Amino acid sequence: MEIDFRKGDGLIPVIVQDASTNEILMMAYMNQEAWEETVRRKKACFWSRSREKLWLKGETSGHFQEVKEMFLDCDGDTLLLKVDQIGGAACHTGFRSCFHQRYEEGAWKVSGEKIFDPKEVYGR
Amino acid sequence: MEIDFRKGDGLIPVIVQDASTNEILMMAYMNQEAWEETVRRKKACFWSRSREKLWLKGETSGHFQEVKEMFLDCDGDTLLLKVDQIGGAACHTGFRSCFHQRYEEGAWKVSGEKIFDPKEVYGR
């Protein structure tokens, strides 16, 4: 089995899970190069679709994701990383998880824990 | 905040997590109609990209996913469902999780637990 980058035009979705709590932290995309960088560095590296460049998660914030385990799904087109999240939060908004909006009575309500102030971490 | 179906040509990736163990079971896609069906039935409903039709997970196997909680990510283009997995396994291969191949020393090795025999469940 090999990773199948063809279906998604060279990109595969990557689920990132906290290795100790099993909380889902975020989802992002990898191309072949991001995958190879992730294996080499043992830190999560993605392809930024908005900036159209390789993106070492934490390169600006210092909040790297140290990769502990990696899993491939049954049809080879989705990855799951289990990571140690440096700094305790994965989301650029300062929340621990990007999935911090919960569906309640027909609307999305903010839930979850804010760990850092984005202004302090990103300086903007 | 609303779900943004535009970025992925009408489809959003959906991560499915076991509500009791927090294990990742699978990833699939929803369009607007699949989302509305999921809300209405409280069972996970996806858009099958290969069959190009609405897909109520479990419609063939009886292994439905009862939705307990739903979360939207920070930019509104990825969903996370926490579910009770009827039958104990999400993968059509009989494994509990679709992510049953673990990266070990440069290769993908089968890991995880096989719960059912696909031949018995799907009759093929």
Side-chain angles (χ1 to χ4, degrees), chain A residues 29-45:
Chain A
Y29 292 84
M30 283 187 190
N31 60 5
Q32 177 79 38
E33 190 186 359
W35 159 250
E36 287 167 6
E37 277 294 287
T38 299
V39 169
R40 193 174 66 79
R41 292 176 179 260
K42 296 188 174 67
K43 288 188 173 72
C45 189

Side-chain angles (χ1 to χ4, degrees), chain B residues 6-55:
Chain B
R6 292 165 307 176
K7 265 190 236 174
D9 258 352
L11 296 181
I12 53 162
V14 181
I15 303 165
V16 184
Q17 186 174 29
D18 187 296
S20 51
T21 65
N22 277 341
E23 188 174 6
I24 302 304
L25 298 172
M26 56 181 285
M27 210 207 68
Y29 292 84
M30 283 186 191
N31 60 5
Q32 177 79 38
E33 190 186 358
W35 160 250
E36 288 168 4
E37 277 294 286
T38 299
V39 170
R40 193 175 66 80
R41 291 176 180 259
K42 296 189 174 67
K43 288 189 173 70
C45 189
F46 304 107
W47 177 257
S48 168
R49 295 185 301 170
S50 54
R51 290 180 286 152
E52 295 185 336
K53 61 191 281 278
L54 214 61
W55 161 37

Side-chain angles (χ1 to χ4, degrees), chain B residues 70-93:
Chain B
M70 300 194 285
F71 296 87
L72 183 62
D73 77 336
C74 48
D75 52 0
D77 62 2
T78 308
L79 279 177
L80 168 62
L81 305 189
K82 293 202 173 195
V83 306
D84 281 350
Q85 175 63 62
I86 306 303
C91 188
H92 71 288
T93 59

Side-chain angles (χ1 to χ4, degrees), chain A residues 26-29 49-50 55 91-93 98-101, chain B residues 1-7 12 72-79:
Chain A
M26 58 182 283
M27 210 209 67
Y29 292 84
R49 295 185 301 171
S50 55
W55 162 38
C91 189
H92 71 287
T93 59
C98 290
F99 296 92
H100 57 262
Q101 303 176 99
Chain B
M1 174 68 79
E2 303 241 327
I3 303 175
D4 181 359
F5 286 101
R6 292 165 307 176
K7 265 190 236 174
I12 53 162
L72 183 62
D73 77 336
C74 48
D75 52 0
D77 62 2
T78 308
L79 279 177

Side-chain angles (χ1 to χ4, degrees), chain A residues 20-31:
Chain A
S20 50
T21 66
N22 278 339
E23 188 173 6
I24 302 304
L25 298 172
M26 58 182 283
M27 210 209 67
Y29 292 84
M30 283 187 190
N31 60 5

